[in-house]
C-alpha cells in the first residue's frame, strides 16, 4: 500500500481593494463586508480536507488597498488537494455581501501559494550529526 501523500501547505494571500475603502455605497457598509469576510474564513475552515493552522492580519501596519505583496492578511492551512484549494479561493466569488447581488470578490482578492512544510527532502544527505527538522 502506498504511503499517504503529505498535505499541501497553502498560504492564502488576501488583498483588500479600493472598493472597500469607497464604502458605504449601494447600501453596502464596511460592516457588511466584514460579516461576509468572516463567513468566507469560516467557510475555508469548514471545507473537508482543510486543516487551518492560523491567520495574520497586517491592517495596523499597512494602510490602503493591496493588489499584491505585501498582502493585507493571510491564512495558513494544510490542504489535501489542489481542488480543495480552488474551492477555498472560490468562496470569494460566491460569498454574498449585504442583501443585494454583491459578492466578496468585489472588495477583496485572494491568491494561493502552494508548497510543502519546510523539511529536509528525502534526496538530501545530511552529514553525520547534522540537524534535522
Amino acid at each position: 500500500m502506498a504511503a499517504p501523500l503529505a498535505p499541501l501547505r497553502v498560504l492564502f494571500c488576501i488583498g483588500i481593494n479600493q472598493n472597500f475603502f469607497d464604502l458605504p455605497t449601494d447600501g453596502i457598509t464596511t460592516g457588511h463586508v466584514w460579516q461576509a469576510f468572516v463567513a468566507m474564513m469560516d467557510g475555508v475552515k469548514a471545507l473537508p480536507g482543510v486543516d487551518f493552522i492560523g491567520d495574520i492580519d497586517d491592517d495596523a501596519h499597512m494602510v490602503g488597498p493591496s493588489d499584491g505583496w505585501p498582502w493585507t492578511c493571510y491564512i495558513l492551512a494544510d490542504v489535501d488537494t489542489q481542488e480543495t484549494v480552488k474551492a477555498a479561493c472560490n468562496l470569494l466569488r460566491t460569498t454574498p455581501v449585504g442583501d443585494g447581488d454583491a459578492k466578496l470578490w468585489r472588495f477583496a482578492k485572494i491568491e494561493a501559494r502552494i508548497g510543502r512544510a519546510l523539511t529536509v527532502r528525502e534526496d538530501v544527505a545530511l552529514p553525520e550529526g547534522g540537524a534535522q527538522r
Side-chain angles (χ1 to χ4, degrees):
M1 175 167 25
L5 294 175
L8 304 169
R9 179 66 47 98
V10 181
L11 183 64
F12 295 96
C13 307
I14 302 168
I16 303 302
N17 67 36
Q18 186 61 46
N19 290 337
F20 176 80
F21 296 100
D22 292 339
L23 292 173
T25 186
D26 300 330
I28 298 172
T29 67
T30 56
H32 289 114
V33 175
W34 270 106
Q35 186 176 43
F37 197 84
V38 169
M40 180 274 302
M41 286 191 63
D42 288 346
V44 170
K45 294 174 187 177
L47 283 172
V50 172
D51 182 17
F52 175 80
I53 297 171
D55 55 41
I56 183 171
D57 187 357
D58 194 19
D59 69 341
H61 302 102
M62 178 184 181
V63 178
S66 61
D67 193 36
W69 189 90
W71 298 92
T72 307
C73 60
Y74 304 85
I75 300 171
L76 183 63
D78 282 338
V79 182
D80 61 352
T81 66
Q82 288 189 27
E83 285 300 312
T84 304
V85 174
K86 185 166 64 172
C89 290
N90 196 50
L91 289 171
L92 257 77
R93 290 186 188 101
T94 59
T95 301
V97 177
D99 296 328
D101 294 330
K103 303 293 188 234
L104 192 52
W105 67 267
R106 181 174 168 189
F107 305 98
K109 67 182 289 182
I110 191 167
E111 178 180 303
R113 304 291 303 170
I114 302 174
R116 61 182 178 83
L118 183 58
T119 58
V120 177
R121 295 188 330 248
E122 290 180 13
D123 64 330
V124 175
L126 295 176
E128 287 286 324
Q132 290 198 19
R133 183 162 188 219

